[in-house]
Each structure stands twice: as structure tokens, then as C-alpha cells.
Amino acid sequence: MEPLEKQILADASIDVPWALVEAYSKMPRWKADDVNRGVDHLVGVLKRLGVPVTVHEPEIYLSIPFEASVAAGNHTYRAKPPSNSRSVPEGVTGDLIYIKADPKNFRSYSPNPRDLFGEDMSAEEMRRRIAGKVVLTDGFANPANTSLLESWCAIAVVAINPGIDIHWGTCTTVWGSPDLEDLPRKPRIPAVAVNNPDGQKLIEIAKGGKSVTVKTRLEEGWYRQKLPVVRIAGRDDPEKFVFVHGHLDSWDVGIGDNATGNATLLELARVLWKHKDRLKRSVQIAWWPGHSTGRYAGSTWFADAYAIDLDENCVAQINCDSPGCRWATSYHQTTAMAETGDFVLKVIKDVTGKDGKTKRPNRAGDYSFNNIGISSYYMLSSTMPDELRREKNYYAVSGCGGNIAWHTENDTIEIADKGVMLTDIKVYLLSVLRNANAAVLPYDWRATAREFAATIEEYQHSAGNRFD
């Protein structure tokens, strides 16, 4: 590590970021007004630190879920509606049918029932089976199963979550605020999630051929949301910038997802502003609204509004989601585009002394800049080792360092860990610093070419002699 890097990393502290985590632990950032209050608090901290901040106020489309239920006979089961579920406070009633599914397959958007449910039947046969029914299935209420089951004429979806808690989420395939082309893809049926014990009871009700009533209540519309951005000008090439960002809105108080990320970005802003005369390129830091209830509406608005600047001048976009969580001491699931992989692993090794592994970014997590073509790395941050997750009998989740408090009311302050958080702050800080100060951008395009070639070979193998 260079002397300048050691000096700047030595200035990273847990004090300012931890104070933000504590403040957010008492401040839900879910409803539109609550998110704006969270931004106001953050902006106040930045100003007290002397860091200039610009606050944009775009109007973005949000779907804010409240309560839901599944009623069978005289019993009502607690449920949660994902954002963008159709709001039906009056309820939808139909026969309940259970289709067993492997939750791992819910990432697939294939219209083939076999890919999602393992059912060896055509889409038309599946449609005849479930049309007019309330479909009970396994996993999380999400875009893939909601979209496919709606296309097969289900009237509602009930997802059985893996554990005793019910997880919030989203169920729309629309990315960002919908436009006229997107509107037909907005869900037209209600979707809800229930916990596993209640789900098992509902399976028995489905076996008995009984009906259920699904109720949901959500508010949707255009909301003015505050979106703070810090820009720290570089001394040599100020037009070019490294862009690091994460979502400020959360489910309830959302400490591990993503108050710890908000605090990490705050500490980056504090330290890099202090050392602004040591930066060659600029650094831009943004905190997004509309991640959870708008499916990345804030970052998508920014991508639309500043696309030309991003295309011409952004040298890297770095996402910061769920760092600093308890037990998250491994970097074996680090997100990185192929050309950034070696760079990212070297940073992790230099900060932690540990070897990591990289994987291609998912279509998730405010990666709203892919179509602009910006080299990108990080999304979810450190995570707990696989053996520890197995020891705790935790199922896989998409945040909170692997803690299953993810997207639940239990994502409270005990999910954060000061030591892990300071380490992750330094990982992000060194990454941004090296990207900003590199004489030549630290990317290996040979790795990208190899990835493209491997992908083409996979397509060719699948196509056989049908296509060259």
C-alpha cells in the first residue's frame, strides 16, 4: 500500500458513521415523507462536517405497501404485500392451489413451467390448471413468479417464505418509474408473502380444495423525493469522476440494509473531502430514494437526467449496499464486472489480508447504469462465511451480510458491527482512492473478452447446428 493510501485510510473512523446508524435505528425510511426526513438528517450532518451537498428533488413513482392478509374459513393469516402488488383492500377470493417450487428457480423469467416449478407441461397446460385460482408456492414474492403466474391467469399469488419471518420485497419487472411502454408489465394481480409455519397450514387447506381471500393495501403514485449528491473535485482531471452510491430508503429502520451503507458513504465523503487536494479525478457520492418501493426509481432518474455526463466522464460506478453487518467477514461473493475483478481482489487483500472471489453483477441493486456502459463493482458487500451460515441454519437472502433479518422488522441496530463496518469502509475508501488516482484505469479488458467468448461458446453449444 502506498504511503498516501495508508495516510488517508488511517483517517477513517467509526465515530461519524456509527452516529448515523444510531440515528437511523430510530428513524424508519419507508414511506415517502420518512425518506425525505432521513435525507434531511444526512444533509444536516454533511453540512456540519463542511461537506458541500446538492439535493435534487425528482418526482418518482413509488408503490408503498402497508398490510395484507390471507383468510381461510374463520382464520386469517398475517401477510405482507411486496411493493407493486395490486392493492385490493376489498379482497380477491378463489380456490387455493399449491404448486411446489424450488426458490432458486425464481430468478428465472422463462415462460416454461418446467424451469420455474419442475412441472413437465406446456404453458397452456399450466394456464388451464391455475386459471382463476389463488396460487400458493414457495420462496419470496418477487417479479419472476408474479409475472409468470399472472400470464398463466392466476388471480393472486401467495409466497411461502423460508422461515418464521415475512420478508418485504417487490414484485414488478418494471425497472424504475414506469413509462407508457412499461405500464402493461405492472402487476395486475395481488401478491403476498406469508411465513413458513402459516404456509404449511395453507398447503393443507389447498390440498382440501378450499378457497381463500387475499387482501392487500398499498399506496401508489408520484412522490417528490430528495436525492443528495456530494461532488469532490479532483485537482488534475476534475471532469472525470468515480461514482459511488447506495440507497437511503429502507424497509422499516433497515440497519443492515442499508443504514450501514449510508453511513459508509458518509464517512467516504468526510475523509475524501478532507483530502480533496490529493485526488486526481473527482469523486461523486449519491444516496438514492426509491430503491425499495420504486424498484430503483431514484438511480434510474439520475441515469436518465445525467446520462451524457455519466457516459463521457464516469470512470467507475460503485454500489454500496449492506456493508458492516455482524459476522460478515468473508468476501467470497464480491460483485464485479470482469475487467474490474483483479483490481477489486487486490484492494480486498490489501485491506483485510483475505482472498476474495468475484461474480458477475446481478440485475439488481441500483445497477441502473449498465446500458450506459460504465465499468462497475461491488453491490452487496462483505458476507458471513458459508460454513457459518450453514451452522446457523440460515437460508440465503440478498443483503444484511447474510443475516436473515434482511427486509424484516428485525433489521435493527444489533445487525450492525462496528469492527466489520470500519473494515468495509476502508475497502470502499481504498477502491475509490485507487480508481480516482490511477494513472491508467485499473481494468483488464482481456478478462472481459474472455467472458464474452465463453458466453458465445455457451450459446453456440445450446444452439447446436441450428444457428452459427
Side-chain angles (χ1 to χ4, degrees), residues 199-213:
Q200 299 308 309
K201 295 172 185 174
L202 288 168
I203 289 173
E204 295 304 312
I205 290 169
K207 289 178 180 177
K210 296 178 181 178
S211 67
V212 296
T213 298

Side-chain angles (χ1 to χ4, degrees), residues 259-444:
T260 53
N262 305 152
T264 295
L265 296 177
L266 173 63
E267 184 65 359
L268 262 59
R270 185 190 71 82
V271 174
L272 292 173
W273 179 254
K274 178 181 177 181
H275 294 278
K276 57 184 179 295
D277 59 332
R278 319 295 288 274
L279 297 174
K280 294 180 180 179
R281 300 181 183 88
S282 297
V283 175
Q284 192 159 286
I285 304 170
W287 291 260
W288 306 125
H291 168 99
S292 299
T293 56
R295 198 159 192 251
Y296 322 121
S299 56
T300 301
W301 173 85
F302 195 89
D304 288 343
Y306 295 95
I308 294 175
D309 185 34
L310 287 160
D311 182 41
E312 294 179 351
N313 295 312
C314 183
V315 300
Q317 72 93 4
I318 307 165
N319 188 240
C320 184
D321 200 337
S322 296
C325 294
R326 65 181 181 186
W327 308 321
T329 58
S330 177
Y331 296 85
H332 69 285
Q333 294 183 342
T334 303
T335 298
M337 288 187 176
E339 68 271 16
T340 71
D342 288 346
F343 166 73
V344 163
L345 294 178
K346 179 69 163 58
V347 168
I348 291 170
K349 183 76 169 180
D350 287 350
V351 173
T352 70
K354 297 177 180 179
D355 295 319
K357 292 182 181 179
T358 62
K359 64 174 186 176
R360 185 174 177 82
N362 300 328
R363 181 85 166 113
D366 283 300
Y367 263 58
S368 299
F369 311 94
N370 288 355
N371 61 325
I372 299 175
I374 305 170
S375 292
S376 308
Y377 53 92
Y378 302 147
M379 184 186 297
L380 302 179
S381 302
S382 54
T383 190
M384 64 178 67
D386 283 342
E387 58 270 22
L388 179 60
R389 190 163 65 84
R390 286 190 292 268
E391 179 186 315
K392 293 182 176 297
N393 198 28
Y394 280 4
Y395 47 85
V397 294
S398 298
C400 282
N403 287 270
I404 55 174
W406 171 78
H407 284 201
T408 74
E409 301 89 339
N410 299 324
D411 185 10
T412 49
I413 196 162
E414 67 272 10
I415 299 300
D417 182 288
K418 287 184 178 180
V420 176
M421 189 171 164
L422 184 57
T423 298
D424 283 344
I425 286 170
K426 291 180 178 181
V427 168
Y428 274 94
L429 183 57
L430 185 59
S431 301
V432 173
L433 185 63
R434 285 183 174 174
N435 235 153
N437 283 352
V440 177
L441 291 173
Y443 305 145
D444 184 356

